[in-house]
Amino acid sequence: MSNRLRFAPSPTGYLHVGGARTALFNWLYVRRYGGQFLLRIEDTDRARSTEDSTRAIFEGLRWLGLQWDEEVSYQGANVARHQADARRLLESGHAYRDFTTPAELDRLRGEAEARGQAFRFDRRLADLPADEIDRRVARGDPFAIRFRVPEGETSWDDLVHGTITFPNKDVDDFVILRSDASPVYNFAVVSDDVDMRITLVMRGDDHISNTPKQVMLYRAMGHEPPRFAHLPMIHGMDGKKLSKRHGATAVGDYQHEGILPAAMCNFLALMGWSPGGDREIMSMDEMVSLFSAEGLLRKAAIFDTKKLEWMNGQYLALTPATELDPIVRPLVVASGLVTSAQLDARRDWWLSLLDLLRVRARTTHDIARQAATYFSDSVEYDPDAVAKHWKDPATAASILRATGDRLAATAWNAAAMEEALRKLAEELGVGGGKIFQPLRVALVGQLASPGIFDVLMVLGQEKSLARIQAAVERLG
Ligand code: GLU
């Protein structure tokens, strides 16, 4: 039998990183073991579901490269089937009508609370003679449909947690269809998973308490339950469940902060899975070939954004400039310093600039920020860089003047310039740093940059000499 897995988000907000992780694991499983990865939008909560959110889910999944295999299914479109399934359970005696009014339920709940007990629905309340039920139905009295929880216990063999068993006595006869005929979550999910022929349900372990109810429903409906894998929750650095307090939790936020989708996937893959050893950086193809149910972890995963940025830096260093071009170009063009046509006109130069910057950047925005200085006419000096390397303005000015003179008289290639400046350092009796650091501030205004001779090459002779001149004037 072919594997059929699904990601079933509720479209009530953006695509959360936890949801994206769950989608990724379902996708990886299917790519690894074969089968279909399906997407079901659980939009039965009409009040909270929005089209914007559905769109954000599609966009987020596409950005991550997690394409689903069949047409998207919408839970809200399946309500007639949910109702028919509930009627069948009624007919087979696995469910019953409950005419208890909301007011009566509130009263009973209040009484239980007053006794300091948790409210439990007593099925005897609904135990009416058949002709009385028929009379009420004919009269149009509203009723909910409750599932008749069987005796015994319910267990399943969880791919992550091993065997999990719940005594059925801990589960109330729960409503499956409300009195307005709308299905409750646990019931709609089972009806849909049966209909979609789902073979493995992989989802967050916050759903573990729903699973016994779902397993009972499968059996009552005459189906073998699928397998289950409950993935650990994702926590922030403080060990608490990840929330907005910890910073961005939407996949789209990371996209807009300049994280590469491959880095995001790699990072998310390690949220509850380990390929074994201390392996961390993996391409999508490598993750697919290494993924296994045995590598799934139980312990909550920690979402460390610093680590994500580090990982993204590793990806940037590995990604060829030609692939970064379409991502970084719009950011640089948006800065207004250069047009796309101008970049095309100097494409080789532009790619070499990307090559220089990508190895020390953490995000594509970092690259765009650092790139700005290579396009602008003037340099913005970082006060820290000035304080550190132009501490004594007169000395800095005289070194920069000498540096400019040497460079003006040298062939514009890295080796020749390096030789000339090392010679100058020797003549002045100073270390190379005493020349290179003030020069770096003059050229890019920053404490850090790519290697100084790379910077000189990519800026070009004219711009470099003009910047040295401007720095001398400013210092002088
Ligand atoms: N719609 C549910 C949620 O977003 C997931 C249901 C499931 O995976 O079974 O939490």
Side-chain angles (χ1 to χ4, degrees):
M1 193 173 56
S2 144
N3 295 301
R4 288 174 67 82
L5 279 71
R6 80 323 188 254
F7 174 49
S10 307
T12 53
Y14 47 79
L15 177 63
H16 186 272
V17 289
R21 183 283 310 264
T22 298
L24 172 65
F25 281 32
N26 278 279
W27 183 91
L28 283 171
Y29 188 96
V30 161
R31 292 294 172 270
R32 168 77 173 83
Y33 297 108
Q36 277 83 42
F37 168 63
L38 310 176
L39 176 60
R40 179 173 72 229
I41 301 293
E42 304 215 311
D43 56 349
T44 31
D45 185 345
R46 290 280 175 210
R48 292 177 60 230
S49 301
T50 68
E51 274 181 36
D52 276 355
S53 162
T54 302
R55 213 170 306 121
I57 292 167
F58 293 162
E59 276 168 17
L61 292 177
R62 288 206 184 100
W63 178 68
L64 292 167
L66 307 180
Q67 190 53 51
W68 49 94
D69 294 319
E70 293 175 7
E71 230 175 280
V72 180
S73 99
Y74 292 86
Q75 190 159 65
N78 300 332
V79 172
R81 171 169 34 72
H82 304 149
Q83 292 166 339
D85 282 343
R87 268 195 307 275
R88 256 192 297 279
L89 287 179
L90 208 49
E91 281 154 19
S92 64
H94 289 100
Y96 56 86
R97 293 184 182 84
D98 168 20
F99 291 92
T100 324
T101 62
E104 177 69 358
L105 281 173
D106 277 349
R107 189 181 65 74
L108 294 167
R109 212 169 269 126
E111 282 178 9
E113 256 167 47
R115 287 193 306 269
Q117 290 170 340
F119 171 70
R120 304 219 33 179
F121 185 80
D122 182 344
R123 78 169 60 135
R124 282 172 307 188
L125 279 170
D127 194 12
L128 303 174
D131 57 342
E132 170 69 6
I133 293 176
D134 290 346
R135 208 172 54 76
R136 291 199 189 191
V137 172
R139 199 167 66 191
D141 285 7
F143 60 84
I145 298 183
R146 281 185 191 268
F147 182 66
R148 194 186 300 278
V149 172
E151 309 254 296
E153 54 182 33
T154 300
S155 57
W156 72 93
D157 189 18
D158 198 282
L159 256 57
V160 181
H161 298 265
T163 303
I164 299 185
T165 305
F166 280 84
N168 291 2
K169 65 172 173 44
D170 291 350
V171 185
D172 241 1
D173 280 0
F174 54 95
V175 170
I176 56 175
L177 215 60
R178 301 183 188 89
S179 58
D180 63 1
S182 64
V184 303
Y185 158 72
N186 277 314
F187 187 59
V189 164
V190 171
S191 175
D192 287 355
D193 283 342
V194 167
D195 187 65
M196 291 164 78
R197 303 188 317 280
I198 297 303
T199 58
L200 168 61
V201 170
M202 208 188 268
R203 60 184 171 196
D205 64 16
D206 50 339
H207 282 289
I208 284 184
S209 61
N210 289 319
T211 306
K213 293 179 181 172
Q214 295 183 8
V215 168
M216 288 183 228
L217 285 170
Y218 277 101
R219 300 224 161 97
M221 288 165 74
H223 299 283
E224 234 350 88
R227 303 201 67 195
F228 291 91
H230 287 96
L231 308 171
M233 290 288 98
I234 299 181
H235 289 176
M237 293 293 284
D238 57 0
K240 302 220 172 78
K241 200 175 160 195
L242 193 67
S243 75
K244 285 202 180 132
R245 265 184 316 113
H246 295 103
T249 53
V251 167
D253 290 340
Y254 289 97
Q255 177 182 358
H256 296 120
E257 283 172 16
I259 299 294
L260 295 174
M264 192 78 209
C265 281
N266 191 158
F267 177 74
L268 289 175
L270 298 173
M271 302 276 104
W273 171 63
S274 162
D278 43 20
R279 180 124 193 216
E280 289 201 308
I281 303 288
M282 292 165 284
S283 68
M284 275 294 220
D285 286 344
E286 286 170 322
M287 288 192 277
V288 168
S289 65
L290 291 167
F291 194 78
S292 77
E294 292 74 48
L296 295 174
L297 309 172
R298 293 181 195 197
K299 210 167 82 200
I302 302 294
F303 195 87
D304 178 354
T305 47
K306 286 272 167 300
K307 177 155 176 189
L308 171 57
E309 285 193 2
W310 167 81
M311 197 169 262
N312 200 52
Q314 303 289 307
Y315 270 82
L316 288 173
L318 290 169
T319 307
T322 46
E323 275 177 45
L324 290 176
D325 173 23
I327 307 172
V328 182
R329 178 186 290 243
L331 305 174
V332 171
V333 168
S335 72
L337 292 167
V338 66
T339 65
S340 194
Q342 286 168 330
L343 292 179
D344 281 333
R346 306 170 71 191
R347 185 172 159 81
D348 287 346
W349 173 84
W350 162 235
L351 294 179
S352 67
L353 176 61
L354 284 177
D355 263 332
L356 268 194
L357 298 180
R358 70 191 169 94
V359 292
R360 45 188 18 242
R362 300 228 140 179
T363 66
T364 52
H365 287 251
D366 262 359
I367 298 182
R369 255 191 308 275
Q370 290 177 39
T373 188
Y374 297 87
F375 298 110
S376 66
D377 291 327
S378 58
V379 180
E380 266 182 53
Y381 302 106
D382 168 17
D384 290 342
V386 169
K388 185 151 181 209
H389 298 304
W390 290 356
K391 197 159 39 194
D392 173 13
T395 311
S398 93
I399 284 191
L400 279 171
R401 200 175 297 114
T403 304
D405 290 346
R406 282 303 155 95
L407 290 176
T410 307
W412 208 261
N413 70 65
M417 289 191 278
E418 175 155 13
E419 201 193 313
L421 294 191
R422 296 229 179 257
K423 189 142 171 282
L424 174 65
E426 221 172 90
E427 287 168 26
L428 297 175
V430 296
K434 285 277 179 273
I435 291 186
F436 304 151
Q437 300 296 11
L439 178 58
R440 170 168 286 120
V441 182
L443 295 177
V444 299
Q446 302 292 318
L447 279 169
S449 78
I452 198 71
F453 300 102
D454 289 330
V455 173
L456 286 163
M457 288 307 293
V458 84
L459 269 178
Q461 184 173 31
E462 196 185 323
K463 239 183 180 148
S464 300
L465 294 179
R467 286 184 180 196
I468 295 168
Q469 182 59 29
V472 169
E473 278 163 23
R474 184 189 151 110
L475 287 162

